[in-house]
Amino acid sequence: MRQSEIISLFALAAIGMAALMVGRYAAHNAQQVMVTTAERELETIGFPDLELQGDGLVLAVSGRVRSVAEQTAVRQRLMRSPGVTELYDNLVIVAPLVDLRPSTLLIQKDDVALRLTGEAPNAEARDLLGARAELANPGLSFANLMSVQNRRTNEEWFRAAEAAIDAVSALRIAEAAVERDSIDLEGAVSDPETARAVEDALRRRFDGRFDVAVDINAPPPWLSPYRFAVRKGAAGLEILACAAPDAAERSVILGHFRTRPARNARAAERCDIANGAPDDAWTAAVIRAIDALGPVDDGEVEIVDDRVRVTAFMEPGADLPALRAAAARAWPALYKVEVDIGETLPVVSPFALSAVKRPGDTRLTGNAPSRERAERWASALGVSNELSLARGAPEGWVDAANAVIDELAAMKVGAVTLNDRTILFAAPGDAALRGAIRDRLRRILPAGYRLEVAEARTPSELAASVAATIDQAVRDPSRYGFAARREADGAVRLGGVIGDGTMRSVVAAYARAKLGGANFEDDLILADGVAPAGWQRAIFAGIEALGELERGELAAETGAIFLKGVARSEEAAAAAQSVLDEKTPVDFTRFTEVVVEAPPEPEETAPPLGSGPPLPAEACIAELNRVVAENPIRFAVNSAAIDAGSDDALDGLGRVLERCPAARLEVGGHTDSSGDASANQRLSQRRAAAV
């Protein structure tokens, strides 16, 4: 063979070998790409620990899975992986071990530190619970000492643990344990409301799924004034108000009370545990109050802090001095006792009773000649007895009251006022229905009683009616009606048919004092005829009640008064209602619609005129004299009507008087010396009354 041929053969062999090596390298590289891509696919679906081997375009997978479903998911994902034409499945299905240990959590908190111990199902649950506890308790030293079990989280247990952390965080000192299906919480908090709120929230979150045990201690609320009141009537004793320092003292009080004839079983249980007793002798004073009513026929004892008032009535012939002396003896040393034991009930005139019935709001106020009658009427209307016992009822008055109360009790809506021998009955419906009521009552009412049956008007109808008066749409001088509107910006407007000139001046001045006078509009007109009974007192009560509101409207007409508006607090709303209830004449039906709105954020403003600490008596006198000297109060000629130019003087006097709460003042009026002396004297008195 020639040398050239040998060289050619060698070259061909070399080329073949290189081609083979390149082919093998390319096949190996493609196989590696296939395996790498398949590994990424497994990581994506959560199986990074499975092993993969490639042989050309064939892929083999081996390792452990927990179910057929997981095996199927792995197979499907690998078959979709690029480059895989065939798959060898070497997977082994192995069920996971069950960890029977329950997760536990113990939360301990005091004034300085918070600590978590127990066993968390896994590290993630431990960290999440720790973060929740630390964020909810800033400022406390925190330690998360929970161990980890390395298993899946039980969602129910985890939610229970979160709820326990939230409950502990709301308490000052607490400890909570969360087991497999139970939560035990113990703690202390400063007020009972928070204790109730924490327990309610914990129980609502589980609704029976966990056994929840709660023991939260809260000190009794602070009560001021501290009060006990007990009343005695024909049916025995009745507790009206009761407070005791602790459970043991309450047991002593109620135990002593139960040895006496009680009015009803529920009254015997009315005694609240509260702080604020004036001294350690409170329980002894309460027992003495119960015993003080033993010798009397009808009476009441009230203890307010360290002051005691005994009020009782006896039949004629009783030894009143001896009874008074006995009632004033044997009280604890620091208690101040006032005794008022009379022979008979007080005499009132007019003798009046008023009842109004609306869905969810039934009221009964006024007088009753005996406890038994009062209880009977209150029971018929389904309300508690708040009638005042008195004498002075006209003949047949009890029979008339029985008739109208029974008629009202059978209705869903209505109102009645019995004022001596005059009855005003308000009923809904058409004229025929009211006529039937009128006929029924006239057949059974005693002789001499005057009855009027009118259409029952809702508060909104009453307000709309008198609102027309304030807008000057009604100009009938014979129809009394009054309205006042107080706006949020302080503007005040009065309107309606009010009375004579003196009453107009007095009402306007009183409204200025109670409602403010910066933007004051008076549309009052004089009336023809005599004002209804109690008209001026009803107007004054309504104006005072409106003064407790931030803004609102007052409407009044004969026999009815309506207050609607917005108060800045629950206390202000309650004060408005109290004024209207206590100062409105009994024969006026009272309606209120007051809502409470939180005040806006306070703005720094200069203190109002007249504000500041109380003034001593000498300074009060000097300030009052200065105001009058600078702007005397003037009147129209031969009249008690205050001249409009004196409004600034009246406002100035009012601002000074706000700083003189203990002052005793004398208001005098005078005229010139011309004319009849007695007439001048009467005019002076009327002018003083107007001021």
Side-chain angles (χ1 to χ4, degrees), residues 535-551:
W535 178 247
Q536 183 168 319
R537 284 194 298 132
I539 298 305
F540 281 6
I543 291 174
E544 184 177 351
L546 181 59
E548 298 287 347
L549 305 183
E550 176 71 12
R551 61 185 185 275

Side-chain angles (χ1 to χ4, degrees), residues 57 62 104-105 250 346 374 398 445 479 489 493 616 624 644 680:
L57 301 180
S62 60
T104 61
L105 172 62
R250 179 174 64 179
V398 170
L445 285 173
R479 179 187 176 189
D489 60 1
R493 188 178 182 191
L624 292 170
N680 287 338

Side-chain angles (χ1 to χ4, degrees), residues 302-332:
E302 182 181 37
I303 311 175
V304 180
D305 292 332
D306 59 353
R307 297 183 178 274
V308 182
R309 179 174 177 81
V310 181
T311 306
F313 304 101
M314 298 296 297
E315 293 295 330
D319 188 351
L320 297 183
L323 288 169
R324 294 185 188 117
R329 286 196 300 266
W331 291 90

Side-chain angles (χ1 to χ4, degrees), residues 95-348:
L97 295 177
V98 178
D99 190 344
L100 298 179
R101 293 178 301 158
S103 300
T104 61
L105 172 62
L106 179 64
I107 314 162
Q108 295 170 306
K109 176 184 177 183
D110 56 27
D111 290 329
V112 296
L114 176 70
R115 184 173 65 173
L116 305 185
T117 57
E119 294 183 327
N122 50 55
E124 182 183 15
R126 179 196 61 189
D127 295 341
L128 288 174
L129 293 176
R132 189 184 192 95
E134 188 173 15
L135 288 173
N137 296 273
L140 295 184
S141 173
F142 175 70
N144 188 352
L145 305 179
M146 298 183 71
S147 61
V148 175
Q149 295 176 322
N150 292 320
R151 60 188 180 87
R152 286 190 172 185
T153 302
N154 181 311
E155 293 299 330
E156 286 288 330
W157 181 91
F158 188 79
R159 284 196 291 269
E162 289 182 319
I165 289 173
D166 294 344
V168 168
S169 302
L171 303 176
R172 185 176 64 85
I173 299 174
E175 180 174 303
V178 184
E179 301 291 346
R180 185 195 304 272
D181 54 5
S182 67
I183 302 174
D184 291 324
L185 173 66
E186 296 181 1
V189 72
S190 59
D191 61 279
E193 291 76 14
T194 300
R196 286 193 294 270
V198 170
E199 180 172 358
D200 291 346
L202 191 60
R203 294 188 184 281
R204 281 198 306 269
R205 289 175 75 164
F206 295 99
D207 191 24
R209 297 191 302 274
F210 271 68
D211 182 14
V212 179
V214 179
D215 182 12
I216 303 176
N217 297 318
W222 186 270
L223 186 62
S224 181
Y226 214 75
R227 182 170 176 259
F228 175 81
V230 60
R231 182 169 60 192
K232 181 181 181 182
L237 294 179
E238 178 183 11
I239 289 179
L240 305 178
C242 180
D246 54 44
E249 299 290 285
R250 179 174 64 179
S251 297
V252 172
I253 292 171
L254 296 181
H256 189 77
F257 174 77
R258 291 174 187 138
T259 64
R260 305 300 194 267
R263 184 173 299 277
N264 57 60
R266 287 181 301 170
E269 307 303 326
R270 292 180 53 186
C271 198
D272 299 323
I273 296 176
N275 287 321
D279 59 17
D280 294 337
W282 172 260
T283 299
V286 170
I287 291 175
R288 178 69 185 95
I290 296 171
D291 293 341
L293 291 177
V296 304
D297 298 329
D298 192 303
E300 184 174 318
V301 181
E302 182 181 37
I303 311 175
V304 180
D305 292 332
D306 59 353
R307 297 183 178 274
V308 182
R309 179 174 177 81
V310 181
T311 306
F313 304 101
M314 298 296 297
E315 293 295 330
D319 188 351
L320 297 183
L323 288 169
R324 294 185 188 117
R329 286 196 300 266
W331 291 90
L334 297 180
Y335 286 78
K336 306 168 187 65
V337 183
E338 179 183 349
V339 177
D340 181 13
I341 300 180
E343 190 172 74
T344 56
L345 294 173
V347 177
V348 300

Side-chain angles (χ1 to χ4, degrees), residues 641-662:
I642 299 175
D643 187 85
S646 299
D647 289 345
D648 290 341
L650 292 172
D651 291 342
L653 291 174
R655 287 193 292 270
V656 175
L657 289 175
E658 288 178 352
R659 301 180 63 188
C660 304

